[in-house]
Amino acid sequence: MKQKKPIRRSQLISPFGVGAIVNFPNDESLMTAGLDHWPKSFEECPSAWKINEERLQKRLKVTHFRLPPDFREHSQNGDSELSYQKIPLLRFPRWHYCPKCGVMKLLPTYGNQEKCSGSRFGTGFSCKDIANNIRPILIPSRYITVCAKGHIEDFPFMQWVHGDKLYDYENHQLRIQAGRSSSSLSGVLISCSCGASRSMSGSFNINSLSNIGYFCSGHQPWLGKSSGTSGDCGEQLRVVQRGASNVYFPDIKSSIYIPVSGEEKNTRKINKKIDDPTIWLMLTSVLLNGAINRDISNTVAQIANLNPDKFYDAAQSKLNATQRTGNSGEDDISELEYRNDEYKAILEGFGGETTDLFTQKMKLNDYGTPWSILFDEIILVKKLRETRVLAGFSRLLPPDEHEGIQIQKLSDNEDIKWLPAVTVFGEGIFIKFNEKILDEWSNKKDIIKRLNEYNKEQNRYRQERSLEPIKYSAKFILLHTFSHLLINQLSYESGYGSSSIRERIYCDTIDSSIKMSGLLIYTASGDSEGTLGGLVRQGEPDRLPEILHNTIEKAKWCTNDPVCIESSGQGINNSNMAACHSCALIAETSCEHGNRFLDRALLIGKIQDESLGFFTTQI
Protein backbone atom coordinates (compact mmCIF):
# COMPACT_ATOMS: atom_id res chain seq x y z
CA MET A 1 0.00 0.00 0.00
CA LYS A 2 1.44 3.37 -1.01
CA GLN A 3 -0.74 5.47 1.26
CA LYS A 4 0.48 6.47 4.71
CA LYS A 5 -1.27 4.49 7.43
CA PRO A 6 -0.02 6.01 10.70
CA ILE A 7 0.10 3.66 13.70
CA ARG A 8 1.78 4.50 16.99
CA ARG A 9 5.05 2.72 17.64
CA SER A 10 3.72 0.87 20.69
CA GLN A 11 0.70 -0.37 18.70
CA LEU A 12 3.03 -2.39 16.47
CA ILE A 13 3.77 -4.49 19.57
CA SER A 14 0.15 -4.74 20.65
CA PRO A 15 -2.57 -4.84 19.42
CA PHE A 16 -1.51 -4.32 15.77
CA GLY A 17 1.63 -6.45 15.63
CA VAL A 18 2.73 -8.83 12.89
CA GLY A 19 -0.20 -10.96 11.69
CA ALA A 20 -2.88 -8.69 13.15
CA ILE A 21 -5.78 -7.28 11.12
CA VAL A 22 -5.91 -3.49 11.30
CA ASN A 23 -9.12 -1.67 10.39
CA PHE A 24 -8.34 1.71 8.83
CA PRO A 25 -10.74 4.53 7.95
CA ASN A 26 -12.75 4.29 4.72
CA ASP A 27 -13.48 0.58 5.19
CA GLU A 28 -9.95 -0.66 4.56
CA SER A 29 -8.79 -3.85 6.28
CA LEU A 30 -5.05 -4.61 6.19
CA MET A 31 -2.65 -7.02 7.90
CA THR A 32 0.81 -6.14 9.24
CA ALA A 33 3.52 -7.99 7.31
CA GLY A 34 6.27 -10.14 8.88
CA LEU A 35 9.67 -8.92 10.05
CA ASP A 36 11.27 -10.06 6.78
CA HIS A 37 9.66 -7.05 5.12
CA TRP A 38 10.36 -4.46 7.82
CA PRO A 39 12.90 -1.70 7.04
CA LYS A 40 16.52 -2.49 7.89
CA SER A 41 15.55 -6.13 8.62
CA PHE A 42 18.87 -7.54 7.40
CA GLU A 43 21.05 -4.48 8.00
CA GLU A 44 22.80 -3.08 11.02
CA CYS A 45 20.21 -1.61 13.35
CA PRO A 46 20.44 2.17 13.91
CA SER A 47 21.56 2.79 17.49
CA ALA A 48 18.44 4.87 18.17
CA TRP A 49 16.29 1.82 17.45
CA LYS A 50 18.22 -0.78 19.45
CA ILE A 51 17.09 -2.01 22.90
CA ASN A 52 19.25 -4.18 25.14
CA GLU A 53 17.72 -6.27 27.94
CA GLU A 54 20.23 -9.05 28.58
CA ARG A 55 17.99 -11.31 30.67
CA LEU A 56 15.18 -11.28 28.12
CA GLN A 57 17.55 -11.63 25.16
CA LYS A 58 18.95 -14.82 26.62
CA ARG A 59 15.52 -16.20 27.33
CA LEU A 60 14.20 -15.49 23.82
CA LYS A 61 17.54 -16.39 22.21
CA VAL A 62 18.02 -13.20 20.19
CA THR A 63 20.92 -10.78 19.93
CA HIS A 64 18.90 -7.62 20.58
CA PHE A 65 15.50 -5.95 20.32
CA ARG A 66 14.44 -3.14 18.00
CA LEU A 67 11.97 -0.31 18.31
CA PRO A 68 9.34 -0.40 15.56
CA PRO A 69 9.84 2.45 13.08
CA ASP A 70 7.98 5.63 13.88
CA PHE A 71 6.90 7.57 10.79
CA ARG A 72 6.27 10.80 12.64
CA GLU A 73 9.70 10.82 14.29
CA HIS A 74 11.80 10.08 11.22
CA SER A 75 9.78 12.02 8.69
CA GLN A 76 10.52 15.16 10.70
CA ASN A 77 14.22 14.43 10.33
CA GLY A 78 13.80 13.99 6.58
CA ASP A 79 15.04 10.38 6.72
CA SER A 80 12.70 8.65 4.29
CA GLU A 81 14.65 5.39 4.53
CA LEU A 82 13.49 4.90 8.14
CA SER A 83 9.92 6.07 7.68
CA TYR A 84 6.98 4.00 8.81
CA GLN A 85 5.52 3.75 5.31
CA LYS A 86 8.26 1.24 4.47
CA ILE A 87 6.53 -1.39 6.65
CA PRO A 88 4.22 -3.16 4.19
CA LEU A 89 0.60 -3.84 4.96
CA LEU A 90 -1.17 -6.46 2.90
CA ARG A 91 -4.87 -6.75 2.16
CA PHE A 92 -6.84 -9.19 4.29
CA PRO A 93 -9.46 -10.43 3.86
CA ARG A 94 -9.31 -10.45 0.08
CA TRP A 95 -13.02 -11.05 -0.47
CA HIS A 96 -14.77 -7.67 -0.78
CA TYR A 97 -18.30 -6.70 -1.71
CA CYS A 98 -20.30 -3.68 -2.82
CA PRO A 99 -22.39 -2.15 -0.03
CA LYS A 100 -25.11 -1.17 -2.55
CA CYS A 101 -25.64 -4.07 -4.95
CA GLY A 102 -23.73 -6.80 -3.06
CA VAL A 103 -21.47 -7.90 -5.93
CA MET A 104 -18.38 -9.75 -4.57
CA LYS A 105 -14.80 -9.77 -5.83
CA LEU A 106 -11.58 -11.45 -4.72
CA LEU A 107 -9.05 -8.59 -4.70
CA PRO A 108 -5.26 -8.99 -5.01
CA THR A 109 -3.10 -8.99 -1.89
CA TYR A 110 -1.46 -5.68 -2.78
CA GLY A 111 -2.92 -2.63 -4.48
CA ASN A 112 -5.41 0.14 -3.94
CA GLN A 113 -9.08 -0.18 -3.12
CA GLU A 114 -11.39 -0.91 -6.04
CA LYS A 115 -14.83 0.33 -6.98
CA CYS A 116 -17.85 -1.81 -7.80
CA SER A 117 -17.67 -3.33 -11.30
CA GLY A 118 -21.40 -2.87 -11.84
CA SER A 119 -22.23 -6.47 -12.74
CA ARG A 120 -25.85 -7.28 -13.50
CA PHE A 121 -27.83 -10.10 -11.92
CA GLY A 122 -31.19 -11.48 -12.95
CA THR A 123 -32.95 -9.61 -10.16
CA GLY A 124 -32.22 -6.76 -7.77
CA PHE A 125 -30.39 -3.47 -7.96
CA SER A 126 -27.19 -3.15 -10.01
CA CYS A 127 -24.51 -0.45 -9.87
CA LYS A 128 -24.33 -0.72 -13.66
CA ASP A 129 -26.79 2.16 -13.77
CA ILE A 130 -24.49 4.40 -11.68
CA ALA A 131 -21.72 6.42 -13.30
CA ASN A 132 -18.38 4.69 -12.94
CA ASN A 133 -16.74 7.61 -11.13
CA ILE A 134 -19.31 7.61 -8.30
CA ARG A 135 -19.75 3.87 -7.81
CA PRO A 136 -19.17 2.67 -4.21
CA ILE A 137 -15.78 1.39 -3.07
CA LEU A 138 -15.79 -2.35 -2.27
CA ILE A 139 -15.60 -3.10 1.46
CA PRO A 140 -14.03 -6.16 3.16
CA SER A 141 -16.07 -9.22 4.07
CA ARG A 142 -17.02 -9.73 7.70
CA TYR A 143 -16.36 -13.48 7.59
CA ILE A 144 -12.94 -15.15 7.79
CA THR A 145 -11.57 -18.51 8.97
CA VAL A 146 -8.79 -19.42 11.41
CA CYS A 147 -7.34 -22.63 12.79
CA ALA A 148 -5.93 -23.53 16.20
CA LYS A 149 -2.36 -23.48 14.82
CA GLY A 150 -2.63 -19.79 13.96
CA HIS A 151 -3.27 -19.93 10.22
CA ILE A 152 -5.85 -17.63 8.69
CA GLU A 153 -7.81 -17.67 5.42
CA ASP A 154 -10.68 -15.98 3.64
CA PHE A 155 -14.06 -17.61 4.04
CA PRO A 156 -14.43 -20.07 1.10
CA PHE A 157 -17.52 -18.50 -0.43
CA MET A 158 -17.17 -20.38 -3.74
CA GLN A 159 -16.95 -23.77 -2.02
CA TRP A 160 -19.75 -22.83 0.39
CA VAL A 161 -22.13 -22.05 -2.46
CA HIS A 162 -21.14 -24.77 -4.95
CA GLY A 163 -20.11 -27.62 -2.65
CA ASP A 164 -18.14 -30.29 -4.49
CA LYS A 165 -19.19 -29.04 -7.95
CA LEU A 166 -16.55 -27.80 -10.37
CA TYR A 167 -16.38 -24.05 -10.88
CA ASP A 168 -13.99 -21.32 -11.97
CA TYR A 169 -13.60 -17.77 -10.71
CA GLU A 170 -13.73 -16.17 -14.15
CA ASN A 171 -17.20 -17.38 -15.13
CA HIS A 172 -18.83 -17.27 -11.70
CA GLN A 173 -19.86 -14.00 -10.11
CA LEU A 174 -20.87 -14.06 -6.45
CA ARG A 175 -23.27 -11.69 -4.75
CA ILE A 176 -24.13 -11.18 -1.06
CA GLN A 177 -27.54 -9.98 0.07
CA ALA A 178 -28.19 -9.39 3.77
CA GLY A 179 -31.31 -8.88 5.86
CA ARG A 180 -33.81 -9.82 3.15
CA SER A 181 -35.75 -12.32 5.29
CA SER A 182 -34.08 -12.33 8.69
CA SER A 183 -31.56 -10.35 10.74
CA SER A 184 -29.72 -13.60 11.57
CA LEU A 185 -27.24 -15.51 9.41
CA SER A 186 -30.12 -17.22 7.66
CA GLY A 187 -30.97 -13.82 6.16
CA VAL A 188 -27.50 -13.47 4.58
CA LEU A 189 -27.71 -15.05 1.12
CA ILE A 190 -24.70 -15.80 -1.10
CA SER A 191 -25.79 -16.34 -4.71
CA CYS A 192 -23.86 -17.06 -7.89
CA SER A 193 -24.47 -16.01 -11.48
CA CYS A 194 -24.78 -19.71 -12.36
CA GLY A 195 -27.93 -19.95 -10.24
CA ALA A 196 -26.45 -21.66 -7.16
CA SER A 197 -27.11 -20.02 -3.80
CA ARG A 198 -26.82 -20.70 -0.08
CA SER A 199 -27.40 -18.70 3.08
CA MET A 200 -24.75 -18.27 5.78
CA SER A 201 -26.93 -20.19 8.24
CA GLY A 202 -24.86 -22.80 10.08
CA SER A 203 -21.54 -21.44 8.81
CA PHE A 204 -20.32 -20.71 12.36
CA ASN A 205 -20.88 -24.28 13.52
CA ILE A 206 -17.69 -26.14 14.44
CA ASN A 207 -17.95 -28.69 11.61
CA SER A 208 -19.48 -26.38 9.00
CA LEU A 209 -16.43 -26.34 6.67
CA SER A 210 -15.19 -29.86 7.34
CA ASN A 211 -18.63 -31.13 6.31
CA ILE A 212 -18.02 -29.76 2.81
CA GLY A 213 -14.49 -31.18 2.77
CA TYR A 214 -12.70 -27.87 3.33
CA PHE A 215 -9.76 -27.88 5.78
CA CYS A 216 -6.91 -25.53 6.64
CA SER A 217 -4.15 -25.38 4.02
CA GLY A 218 -1.61 -23.49 6.13
CA HIS A 219 -2.26 -19.94 4.89
CA GLN A 220 0.22 -17.43 6.41
CA PRO A 221 -0.37 -14.14 4.57
CA TRP A 222 1.90 -12.08 6.87
CA LEU A 223 4.82 -14.25 5.66
CA GLY A 224 3.70 -14.12 2.03
CA LYS A 225 2.57 -17.77 2.09
CA SER A 226 -0.74 -18.46 0.42
CA SER A 227 -2.82 -21.61 0.74
CA GLY A 228 -0.82 -24.67 -0.07
CA THR A 229 2.61 -22.98 -0.34
CA SER A 230 3.49 -23.74 3.30
CA GLY A 231 2.19 -27.29 3.22
CA ASP A 232 -1.27 -28.53 4.03
CA CYS A 233 -2.15 -27.98 7.67
CA GLY A 234 -5.22 -30.21 7.76
CA GLU A 235 -6.65 -28.62 10.91
CA GLN A 236 -10.34 -27.89 11.19
CA LEU A 237 -11.12 -24.27 10.32
CA ARG A 238 -13.32 -22.12 12.54
CA VAL A 239 -15.44 -19.38 11.02
CA VAL A 240 -15.17 -16.09 12.94
CA GLN A 241 -15.98 -12.47 12.37
CA ARG A 242 -13.12 -10.31 11.12
CA GLY A 243 -13.20 -8.06 14.21
CA ALA A 244 -13.63 -10.84 16.77
CA SER A 245 -11.35 -10.69 19.82
CA ASN A 246 -10.10 -14.28 19.31
CA VAL A 247 -8.66 -13.62 15.83
CA TYR A 248 -5.35 -12.36 17.25
CA PHE A 249 -3.62 -12.81 20.60
CA PRO A 250 -0.11 -11.24 20.76
CA ASP A 251 2.47 -13.24 22.72
CA ILE A 252 4.01 -10.42 24.75
CA LYS A 253 7.10 -11.18 26.80
CA SER A 254 7.95 -8.47 29.29
CA SER A 255 10.78 -7.87 31.70
CA ILE A 256 11.34 -5.49 34.60
CA TYR A 257 14.88 -4.16 34.51
CA ILE A 258 17.06 -5.41 37.36
CA PRO A 259 20.10 -3.20 38.12
CA VAL A 260 23.41 -4.92 38.64
CA SER A 261 24.92 -4.93 42.11
CA GLY A 262 26.55 -1.61 42.88
CA GLU A 263 24.93 0.22 39.97
CA GLU A 264 23.16 2.62 42.31
CA LYS A 265 26.57 3.90 43.42
CA ASN A 266 27.39 5.11 39.90
CA THR A 267 26.32 8.43 38.52
CA ARG A 268 23.31 8.58 36.23
CA LYS A 269 25.57 9.68 33.39
CA ILE A 270 27.77 6.57 33.73
CA ASN A 271 24.77 4.21 33.86
CA LYS A 272 23.19 5.84 30.85
CA LYS A 273 26.38 5.60 28.83
CA ILE A 274 26.91 1.91 29.67
CA ASP A 275 23.28 1.08 28.86
CA ASP A 276 23.66 2.57 25.38
CA PRO A 277 23.55 -0.51 23.08
CA THR A 278 26.31 0.80 20.79
CA ILE A 279 28.66 1.57 23.71
CA TRP A 280 27.93 -1.77 25.37
CA LEU A 281 28.65 -3.64 22.13
CA MET A 282 31.95 -1.78 21.85
CA LEU A 283 32.90 -2.67 25.43
CA THR A 284 32.02 -6.37 25.12
CA SER A 285 33.15 -7.10 21.56
CA VAL A 286 36.80 -7.61 22.62
CA LEU A 287 37.22 -9.08 26.12
CA LEU A 288 40.54 -9.85 27.80
CA ASN A 289 40.37 -13.12 29.75
CA GLY A 290 36.61 -12.67 30.10
CA ALA A 291 36.93 -9.09 31.42
CA ILE A 292 36.30 -5.64 29.97
CA ASN A 293 39.27 -4.34 27.94
CA ARG A 294 40.64 -1.51 30.07
CA ASP A 295 42.05 0.42 27.09
CA ILE A 296 38.67 0.47 25.29
CA SER A 297 36.91 1.41 28.54
CA ASN A 298 39.30 4.29 29.21
CA THR A 299 38.92 5.59 25.65
CA VAL A 300 35.12 5.64 25.92
CA ALA A 301 35.28 7.28 29.36
CA GLN A 302 37.65 10.01 28.16
CA ILE A 303 35.48 10.82 25.11
CA ALA A 304 32.41 11.05 27.37
CA ASN A 305 34.35 13.06 29.97
CA LEU A 306 33.76 10.45 32.72
CA ASN A 307 35.95 9.08 35.49
CA PRO A 308 37.82 6.13 33.87
CA ASP A 309 38.05 4.03 37.06
CA LYS A 310 34.36 4.40 37.97
CA PHE A 311 33.36 3.79 34.38
CA TYR A 312 35.44 0.58 34.18
CA ASP A 313 34.11 -0.73 37.52
CA ALA A 314 30.52 -0.08 36.45
CA ALA A 315 31.02 -1.82 33.08
CA GLN A 316 32.71 -4.82 34.70
CA SER A 317 29.89 -5.12 37.28
CA LYS A 318 27.31 -5.20 34.51
CA LEU A 319 29.29 -7.83 32.61
CA ASN A 320 29.56 -10.02 35.72
CA ALA A 321 25.84 -9.72 36.38
CA THR A 322 25.03 -10.51 32.76
CA GLN A 323 27.10 -13.69 32.92
CA ARG A 324 25.49 -14.77 36.22
CA THR A 325 21.81 -14.06 35.63
CA GLY A 326 19.44 -15.78 33.27
CA ASN A 327 20.58 -18.81 31.30
CA SER A 328 23.08 -19.31 28.55
CA GLY A 329 20.43 -19.54 25.87
CA GLU A 330 20.90 -23.31 25.56
CA ASP A 331 18.16 -24.29 27.98
CA ASP A 332 14.62 -23.00 28.25
CA ILE A 333 13.61 -21.11 31.36
CA SER A 334 10.05 -20.96 32.58
CA GLU A 335 8.13 -17.73 33.19
CA LEU A 336 8.06 -18.62 36.89
CA GLU A 337 11.85 -18.91 37.14
CA TYR A 338 12.29 -15.73 35.14
CA ARG A 339 10.00 -13.71 37.40
CA ASN A 340 11.60 -15.05 40.54
CA ASP A 341 14.67 -12.91 39.80
CA GLU A 342 12.48 -9.78 39.67
CA TYR A 343 10.63 -10.84 42.81
CA LYS A 344 13.88 -11.16 44.75
CA ALA A 345 15.26 -7.89 43.35
CA ILE A 346 12.20 -5.92 44.52
CA LEU A 347 12.18 -7.55 47.95
CA GLU A 348 15.92 -7.04 48.45
CA GLY A 349 15.76 -3.40 47.38
CA PHE A 350 18.02 -3.53 44.33
CA GLY A 351 18.70 -0.25 42.57
CA GLY A 352 18.56 3.35 43.67
CA GLU A 353 17.73 6.89 42.59
CA THR A 354 20.29 6.81 39.77
CA THR A 355 19.08 3.48 38.31
CA ASP A 356 15.94 2.42 36.45
CA LEU A 357 14.64 0.51 39.47
CA PHE A 358 14.08 2.53 42.61
CA THR A 359 12.09 1.05 45.50
CA GLN A 360 11.18 2.11 49.03
CA LYS A 361 10.17 -0.39 51.71
CA MET A 362 7.37 0.86 53.94
CA LYS A 363 6.75 0.11 57.63
CA LEU A 364 3.82 -2.31 57.81
CA ASN A 365 2.70 -1.01 61.21
CA ASP A 366 1.94 2.35 59.60
CA TYR A 367 -0.86 0.71 57.61
CA GLY A 368 -2.65 -0.67 60.67
CA THR A 369 -4.63 -3.88 60.99
CA PRO A 370 -5.56 -6.09 59.29
CA TRP A 371 -3.12 -5.13 56.52
CA SER A 372 -0.03 -5.35 58.73
CA ILE A 373 -1.09 -8.95 59.49
CA LEU A 374 -2.21 -10.08 56.03
CA PHE A 375 0.81 -8.63 54.23
CA ASP A 376 4.53 -9.25 54.72
CA GLU A 377 5.74 -6.33 52.64
CA ILE A 378 4.41 -3.14 51.06
CA ILE A 379 6.98 -1.59 48.74
CA LEU A 380 6.61 1.59 46.74
CA VAL A 381 8.28 1.20 43.35
CA LYS A 382 9.08 4.81 42.58
CA LYS A 383 10.74 4.04 39.28
CA LEU A 384 10.85 1.02 36.99
CA ARG A 385 11.71 0.24 33.40
CA GLU A 386 9.81 -2.40 31.50
CA THR A 387 10.71 -3.91 28.14
CA ARG A 388 7.78 -5.36 26.19
CA VAL A 389 8.60 -7.70 23.32
CA LEU A 390 6.34 -9.21 20.66
CA ALA A 391 7.57 -12.81 20.44
CA GLY A 392 4.75 -14.24 18.30
CA PHE A 393 1.00 -14.63 18.36
CA SER A 394 -1.79 -17.18 18.51
CA ARG A 395 -5.39 -17.38 17.36
CA LEU A 396 -8.59 -18.71 18.97
CA LEU A 397 -6.92 -19.02 22.42
CA PRO A 398 -4.42 -16.68 24.15
CA PRO A 399 -0.80 -17.81 24.64
CA ASP A 400 -0.12 -19.69 27.86
CA GLU A 401 2.87 -21.86 28.72
CA HIS A 402 0.54 -24.39 30.38
CA GLU A 403 -2.06 -24.50 27.62
CA GLY A 404 0.01 -25.93 24.79
CA ILE A 405 -1.09 -23.15 22.41
CA GLN A 406 0.84 -23.06 19.12
CA ILE A 407 2.65 -19.75 18.64
CA GLN A 408 3.09 -18.40 15.14
CA LYS A 409 6.45 -16.89 14.14
CA LEU A 410 6.97 -13.26 13.13
CA SER A 411 9.52 -14.17 10.47
CA ASP A 412 10.38 -17.11 8.27
CA ASN A 413 14.06 -16.22 8.00
CA GLU A 414 16.48 -17.63 10.57
CA ASP A 415 18.96 -14.83 9.84
CA ILE A 416 16.72 -12.38 11.67
CA LYS A 417 18.00 -12.52 15.26
CA TRP A 418 15.92 -9.71 16.72
CA LEU A 419 12.36 -9.03 17.84
CA PRO A 420 10.31 -5.81 17.96
CA ALA A 421 10.04 -4.21 21.40
CA VAL A 422 9.33 -1.00 23.27
CA THR A 423 10.75 0.29 26.53
CA VAL A 424 8.44 2.11 28.92
CA PHE A 425 9.01 3.77 32.27
CA GLY A 426 6.65 3.91 35.21
CA GLU A 427 5.98 3.34 38.89
CA GLY A 428 3.92 1.05 41.04
CA ILE A 429 2.92 -0.56 44.32
CA PHE A 430 4.27 -3.99 45.31
CA ILE A 431 2.42 -6.09 47.89
CA LYS A 432 3.67 -9.38 49.33
CA PHE A 433 1.07 -11.49 51.13
CA ASN A 434 1.75 -13.34 54.38
CA GLU A 435 2.58 -16.84 53.16
CA LYS A 436 1.75 -18.55 56.46
CA ILE A 437 -1.80 -17.14 56.48
CA LEU A 438 -2.16 -17.94 52.77
CA ASP A 439 -1.15 -21.57 53.32
CA GLU A 440 -3.53 -22.00 56.25
CA TRP A 441 -6.40 -20.58 54.22
CA SER A 442 -5.67 -22.55 51.03
CA ASN A 443 -5.57 -25.83 52.99
CA LYS A 444 -9.15 -25.47 54.26
CA LYS A 445 -11.45 -28.29 53.16
CA ASP A 446 -13.93 -25.94 51.47
CA ILE A 447 -11.16 -24.24 49.49
CA ILE A 448 -9.68 -27.56 48.41
CA LYS A 449 -13.13 -28.78 47.35
CA ARG A 450 -13.84 -25.63 45.32
CA LEU A 451 -10.47 -25.76 43.57
CA ASN A 452 -10.82 -29.48 42.83
CA GLU A 453 -14.12 -28.80 41.06
CA TYR A 454 -12.56 -25.88 39.19
CA ASN A 455 -9.49 -27.88 38.10
CA LYS A 456 -11.70 -30.79 37.02
CA GLU A 457 -13.57 -28.46 34.67
CA GLN A 458 -10.35 -26.92 33.31
CA ASN A 459 -8.75 -30.32 32.73
CA ARG A 460 -11.81 -31.45 30.79
CA TYR A 461 -10.93 -28.86 28.16
CA ARG A 462 -7.26 -29.82 28.32
CA GLN A 463 -8.15 -33.46 27.74
CA GLU A 464 -10.05 -32.48 24.59
CA ARG A 465 -6.78 -30.98 23.29
CA SER A 466 -4.71 -34.00 24.45
CA LEU A 467 -2.84 -31.98 27.10
CA GLU A 468 -1.57 -33.17 30.46
CA PRO A 469 -3.81 -32.28 33.45
CA ILE A 470 -2.68 -29.42 35.69
CA LYS A 471 -3.74 -28.02 39.02
CA TYR A 472 -4.22 -24.28 39.48
CA SER A 473 -3.53 -23.08 43.02
CA ALA A 474 -6.02 -21.19 45.18
CA LYS A 475 -3.24 -18.74 46.04
CA PHE A 476 -2.75 -17.76 42.41
CA ILE A 477 -6.46 -17.25 41.73
CA LEU A 478 -6.77 -15.20 44.94
CA LEU A 479 -3.85 -12.90 44.07
CA HIS A 480 -4.99 -12.53 40.48
CA THR A 481 -8.56 -11.61 41.43
CA PHE A 482 -7.38 -9.23 44.15
CA SER A 483 -5.10 -7.56 41.60
CA HIS A 484 -8.04 -6.92 39.25
CA LEU A 485 -10.24 -5.48 41.97
CA LEU A 486 -7.42 -3.28 43.25
CA ILE A 487 -6.75 -1.94 39.73
CA ASN A 488 -10.41 -0.99 39.39
CA GLN A 489 -10.35 0.79 42.76
CA LEU A 490 -7.05 2.57 42.09
CA SER A 491 -8.44 3.78 38.79
CA TYR A 492 -11.39 5.27 40.64
CA GLU A 493 -9.28 6.81 43.43
CA SER A 494 -6.36 8.15 41.40
CA GLY A 495 -8.04 9.16 38.14
CA TYR A 496 -5.93 6.90 35.92
CA GLY A 497 -7.81 5.06 33.20
CA SER A 498 -8.06 1.36 34.07
CA SER A 499 -6.31 0.48 30.81
CA SER A 500 -3.25 2.51 31.85
CA ILE A 501 -2.68 0.41 35.00
CA ARG A 502 -1.18 -3.05 34.64
CA GLU A 503 -0.64 -6.09 36.82
CA ARG A 504 2.34 -8.37 37.31
CA ILE A 505 1.62 -11.46 39.41
CA TYR A 506 4.50 -13.08 41.28
CA CYS A 507 3.02 -16.43 42.23
CA ASP A 508 3.19 -20.07 41.25
CA THR A 509 0.38 -20.44 38.70
CA ILE A 510 0.28 -24.15 39.43
CA ASP A 511 1.90 -26.21 42.19
CA SER A 512 5.61 -25.43 42.19
CA SER A 513 8.72 -25.54 44.36
CA ILE A 514 9.30 -21.83 43.71
CA LYS A 515 7.44 -19.89 46.39
CA MET A 516 6.19 -16.43 45.53
CA SER A 517 3.14 -14.58 46.84
CA GLY A 518 3.28 -11.01 45.57
CA LEU A 519 1.81 -8.69 43.00
CA LEU A 520 2.93 -5.48 41.36
CA ILE A 521 0.34 -2.93 40.28
CA TYR A 522 2.07 -0.41 38.06
CA THR A 523 1.57 2.15 35.36
CA ALA A 524 4.01 2.65 32.53
CA SER A 525 4.22 5.23 29.78
CA GLY A 526 6.58 6.17 27.01
CA ASP A 527 7.73 9.24 28.94
CA SER A 528 11.19 8.85 30.46
CA GLU A 529 9.92 10.33 33.72
CA GLY A 530 7.18 7.72 34.10
CA THR A 531 3.99 9.02 35.66
CA LEU A 532 5.50 11.50 38.12
CA GLY A 533 4.43 9.76 41.32
CA GLY A 534 0.66 9.67 40.92
CA LEU A 535 0.27 5.94 41.56
CA VAL A 536 2.99 5.75 44.22
CA ARG A 537 1.15 8.44 46.17
CA GLN A 538 -1.81 6.06 46.49
CA GLY A 539 0.47 3.57 48.24
CA GLU A 540 1.28 5.88 51.15
CA PRO A 541 -0.01 4.87 54.63
CA ASP A 542 -2.55 7.70 54.70
CA ARG A 543 -4.25 6.48 51.50
CA LEU A 544 -3.66 2.78 50.82
CA PRO A 545 -5.57 1.34 53.84
CA GLU A 546 -8.77 3.09 52.77
CA ILE A 547 -8.27 1.99 49.16
CA LEU A 548 -7.78 -1.62 50.27
CA HIS A 549 -10.86 -1.45 52.50
CA ASN A 550 -12.98 -0.05 49.65
CA THR A 551 -11.64 -2.73 47.32
CA ILE A 552 -12.90 -5.53 49.56
CA GLU A 553 -16.22 -3.80 50.26
CA LYS A 554 -16.95 -3.33 46.56
CA ALA A 555 -16.00 -6.94 45.89
CA LYS A 556 -18.97 -8.01 48.02
CA TRP A 557 -21.47 -6.70 45.47
CA CYS A 558 -21.91 -7.19 41.76
CA THR A 559 -24.85 -6.00 39.67
CA ASN A 560 -25.10 -9.55 38.31
CA ASP A 561 -25.45 -11.14 41.75
CA PRO A 562 -26.63 -13.66 42.77
CA VAL A 563 -25.95 -15.16 39.33
CA CYS A 564 -22.29 -14.07 39.36
CA ILE A 565 -21.37 -15.08 42.91
CA GLU A 566 -23.06 -18.48 42.50
CA SER A 567 -21.51 -19.18 39.09
CA SER A 568 -19.46 -22.35 38.72
CA GLY A 569 -18.02 -21.34 35.36
CA GLN A 570 -18.11 -18.40 32.96
CA GLY A 571 -15.81 -16.78 30.40
CA ILE A 572 -13.46 -18.59 28.00
CA ASN A 573 -13.68 -22.34 28.67
CA ASN A 574 -15.43 -21.54 31.98
CA SER A 575 -12.06 -20.34 33.30
CA ASN A 576 -13.72 -17.87 35.71
CA MET A 577 -16.06 -18.67 38.56
CA ALA A 578 -17.50 -15.67 40.46
CA ALA A 579 -16.11 -12.99 38.14
CA CYS A 580 -17.74 -11.05 35.31
CA HIS A 581 -17.55 -7.72 33.45
CA SER A 582 -19.53 -6.00 36.19
CA CYS A 583 -17.07 -6.79 38.99
CA ALA A 584 -13.66 -8.34 38.36
CA LEU A 585 -12.77 -8.11 34.66
CA ILE A 586 -10.46 -5.34 33.48
CA ALA A 587 -9.05 -4.11 30.17
CA GLU A 588 -7.41 -6.89 28.15
CA THR A 589 -4.19 -4.89 27.92
CA SER A 590 -3.98 -4.69 31.72
CA CYS A 591 -4.42 -8.40 32.49
CA GLU A 592 -1.63 -10.90 32.02
CA HIS A 593 -3.92 -13.88 31.60
CA GLY A 594 -6.64 -12.70 29.23
CA ASN A 595 -9.21 -12.11 32.00
CA ARG A 596 -9.11 -15.78 33.02
CA PHE A 597 -8.53 -17.58 36.35
CA LEU A 598 -10.65 -15.29 38.52
CA ASP A 599 -12.95 -16.00 41.47
CA ARG A 600 -14.35 -13.24 43.65
CA ALA A 601 -15.70 -15.81 46.15
CA LEU A 602 -12.14 -16.63 47.24
CA LEU A 603 -11.85 -13.05 48.52
CA ILE A 604 -15.21 -12.41 50.17
CA GLY A 605 -16.91 -15.82 50.32
CA LYS A 606 -20.38 -16.76 49.10
CA ILE A 607 -23.78 -15.76 50.47
CA GLN A 608 -24.27 -19.07 52.25
CA ASP A 609 -20.58 -19.64 53.04
CA GLU A 610 -18.51 -16.56 53.91
CA SER A 611 -15.70 -18.71 55.32
CA LEU A 612 -14.46 -19.29 51.75
CA GLY A 613 -13.21 -15.71 51.60
CA PHE A 614 -9.61 -14.97 52.53
CA PHE A 615 -10.48 -11.45 53.70
CA THR A 616 -13.82 -12.15 55.39
CA THR A 617 -12.11 -14.19 58.07
CA GLN A 618 -9.59 -11.40 58.73
CA ILE A 619 -11.52 -8.14 58.36
Side-chain angles (χ1 to χ4, degrees), residues 362 366-367 536-547:
M362 307 302 290
D366 292 343
Y367 292 86
V536 164
R537 180 67 184 92
Q538 307 305 316
E540 297 285 350
D542 61 332
R543 294 199 180 203
L544 188 59
E546 182 179 359
I547 292 174

Side-chain angles (χ1 to χ4, degrees), residues 396-407:
L396 293 182
L397 288 173
D400 191 304
E401 64 177 328
H402 306 302
E403 295 292 329
I405 306 299
Q406 180 148 346
I407 305 299

